[in-house]
Amino acid sequence: MLLRSAMCAAVFLLCHPHAAIAQDAAKSALAEQDLAGRIDAAIAPYFKADAPGATVIVVKDGKTVLRRAYGMADTGKGVKMTPEMALRLGSITKQFTSTAILMLADEGKLALDDDITKHLPDYPARGKKITIEHLLTHTSGIVSYTSKPAYSATMTQEMTVAGMIDSFKNDPLEFEPGSQYRYNNSGYFLLGAIIEKISGQSYAAFLEQRIFTPLGMNDTYYEGFGKSRAPVAAGHTRAATGFGAARPVSMCQPYVAGSLVSTVDDLAR
């Protein structure tokens, strides 16, 4: 009797494949809910309801598993964070800079082992071979301009790309190129200058035409050279009495190392 029941069940599933598909879909949905719940439980404790927050998206196999906002978008105005809000990307900008460099490499317009003086002949390399790969991988030995003592006092100043490069190019190297790793914003600044020189476009225009527009990243832009349809979250600085507005910074200074604005939906693309 038990065998007959099992056989009947098997025949039923064979005759009704939609039932099996529906069952698999239900199991998959439960697994995704469980994953989303576990991720949410891991993230939520880091963001208080009345403190600066974050937006999060998790995509698995092309399907969104979790899309959620935490905390506040603007503590001063009492605006809550929502998943569609745009935020400054900070150093996630570097991913787009390195992608732009690799696009130019794919097109044969540069090579990763090129000496940077091939593209920036006036840069004082002091007899050392500093390559594009060194810049990409934070192994150039060039002083990072954001680590210099005067940076915080001058970060509101409007500067040209050449002017910013002048601010660090004559500093002694911190180590032999390729011998150490040290996080470096100056290296990415030089990559931006190389992108602009080779492409004949501004960094903002290159990314918009080559990456953002083709991918439909409609809420991603270089701050000051574009705008988002999405509301933009405010920046914050921790103060003794809580959180205040972030200190202003001229976005020409982060440049290709940190000047992009985007949403989690665009980044998921």
Side-chain angles (χ1 to χ4, degrees):
M1 190 60 149
L2 182 61
L3 177 61
R4 181 178 298 175
S5 298
M7 289 174 64
C8 288
V11 170
F12 176 82
L13 288 174
L14 286 171
C15 294
H16 298 82
H18 295 299
I21 292 171
Q23 193 174 48
D24 288 343
K27 287 180 180 179
S28 177
L30 286 173
E32 287 174 3
Q33 290 175 12
D34 177 61
L35 176 60
R38 287 186 287 124
I39 295 171
D40 178 52
I43 294 172
Y46 289 95
F47 300 99
K48 295 180 180 179
D50 60 348
T55 57
V56 175
I57 195 165
V58 179
V59 178
K60 182 180 180 183
D61 298 328
K63 186 175 182 180
T64 299
V65 175
L66 178 72
R67 180 180 180 271
R68 192 158 296 175
Y70 303 86
M72 303 295 289
D74 190 326
T75 58
K77 296 180 179 179
V79 179
K80 292 183 178 180
M81 191 75 80
T82 60
E84 66 272 9
M85 281 186 165
L87 293 87
R88 284 178 172 172
L89 294 187
S91 284
I92 294 174
T93 300
K94 292 181 175 70
Q95 297 183 33
F96 292 90
T97 302
S98 56
T99 297
I101 286 288
L102 294 175
M103 284 177 157
L104 294 172
D106 282 347
E107 293 164 6
K109 295 177 180 177
L110 60 80
L112 298 189
D113 61 356
D114 281 350
D115 192 312
I116 62 172
T117 57
K118 177 178 179 179
H119 306 286
L120 303 173
D122 295 331
Y123 193 83
R126 295 176 179 77
K128 306 292 185 180
K129 183 176 181 180
I130 302 173
T131 67
I132 289 175
E133 184 173 358
H134 289 146
L135 303 182
L136 285 167
T137 58
H138 304 277
T139 57
S140 68
I142 295 170
V143 172
S144 183
Y145 67 92
T146 51
S147 68
K148 298 180 69 170
Y151 174 69
S152 61
T154 60
M155 65 185 196
T156 60
Q157 295 179 7
E158 291 293 316
M159 302 279 285
T160 64
V161 173
M164 283 297 295
I165 292 174
D166 286 344
S167 74
F168 62 78
K169 71 179 185 181
N170 292 315
D171 294 332
L173 293 177
E174 294 184 311
F175 52 83
E176 188 76 16
S179 67
Q180 295 183 40
Y181 168 91
R182 190 169 300 172
Y183 194 84
N184 192 306
N185 286 305
S186 295
Y188 271 75
F189 212 97
L190 294 171
L191 290 172
I194 291 170
I195 291 167
E196 292 190 338
K197 183 173 182 179
I198 292 176
S199 70
Q201 296 178 285
S202 69
Y203 175 76
F206 184 92
L207 291 195
E208 181 178 3
Q209 292 180 20
R210 300 291 302 275
I211 300 176
F212 304 154
T213 298
L215 292 179
M217 298 176 69
N218 298 320
D219 295 312
T220 304
Y221 58 95
Y222 185 106
E223 188 168 339
F225 293 89
K227 60 182 179 179
S228 171
R229 297 172 303 172
V232 182
H236 296 84
T237 298
R238 187 184 294 276
T241 56
F243 292 94
R247 290 183 60 194
V249 58
S250 169
M251 298 312 285
C252 69
Q253 296 215 21
Y255 184 44
V256 308
S259 290
L260 294 186
V261 176
S262 190
T263 64
V264 289
D265 295 311
D266 271 9
L267 293 180
R269 294 179 184 274

